[in-house]
Amino acid sequence: VQLQASGGGLVHSGGSLRLSCKASGFFLDKYAVGWFRQVAGSDREGVSCIDLSDGSTYYADSVKGRFTIARDNAENTVYLQMNDLKPNDTAVYYCATPRKPQSMGARRCGMFGGKGMDYWGKGTLVTVSS
């Protein structure tokens, strides 16, 4: 079981990036998948989650209207499209899932900083310059 997060980089304020979370060793289609971010010295924050069993989503207030989470079943991948990026979006971004499918909804996935998530991809760094 492996999650691979990618797509981070350096962009100017107002720019866009798309993060990818590709799963291998299992199919994502019944899991909640979340994106989380962390700045050194700060707590991890839930950014967005999708419950792939019913398509429901969660977004942190700070990213609503700017970020969109989506899935590609054929690629076994969940994407996070990030538009209108701001300097305070700068962080290491991680994707994660719980061990069991259909074990949590999107809101539960996103609200507790990743508590309850069992499988984590390596982080991808997003840097937004002003």
Side-chain angles (χ1 to χ4, degrees):
V1 173
Q2 189 174 18
L3 296 175
Q4 184 173 2
S6 62
L10 171 64
V11 295
H12 292 298
S13 183
S16 298
L17 285 172
R18 188 178 76 161
L19 305 184
S20 300
C21 178
K22 185 171 180 62
S24 58
F26 71 111
F27 292 108
L28 285 172
D29 62 339
K30 298 296 185 184
Y31 288 79
V33 179
W35 284 98
F36 303 86
R37 65 188 180 186
Q38 190 166 25
V39 176
S42 298
D43 292 335
R44 188 170 55 208
E45 174 190 17
V47 176
S48 181
C49 285
I50 184 167
D51 181 348
L52 293 180
S53 66
D54 64 9
S56 59
T57 57
Y58 164 88
Y59 295 95
D61 287 344
S62 59
V63 306
K64 283 180 181 176
R66 301 188 297 122
F67 291 12
T68 303
I69 193 167
R71 62 180 169 182
D72 183 329
N73 289 341
E75 294 294 326
N76 206 27
T77 298
V78 168
Y79 299 100
L80 184 68
Q81 178 66 44
M82 306 187 296
N83 297 330
D84 190 23
L85 283 160
K86 305 179 186 302
N88 60 4
D89 292 317
T90 295
V92 178
Y93 284 70
Y94 302 87
C95 63
T97 70
R99 181 176 295 112
K100 296 182 179 180
Q102 296 180 302
S103 60
M104 67 171 64
R107 185 175 175 82
R108 168 68 179 86
C109 162
M111 288 195 65
F112 301 102
K115 188 175 181 179
M117 308 302 272
D118 298 301
Y119 302 127
W120 291 83
K122 290 184 180 179
T124 185
L125 177 62
V126 172
T127 304
V128 184
S129 63
S130 57

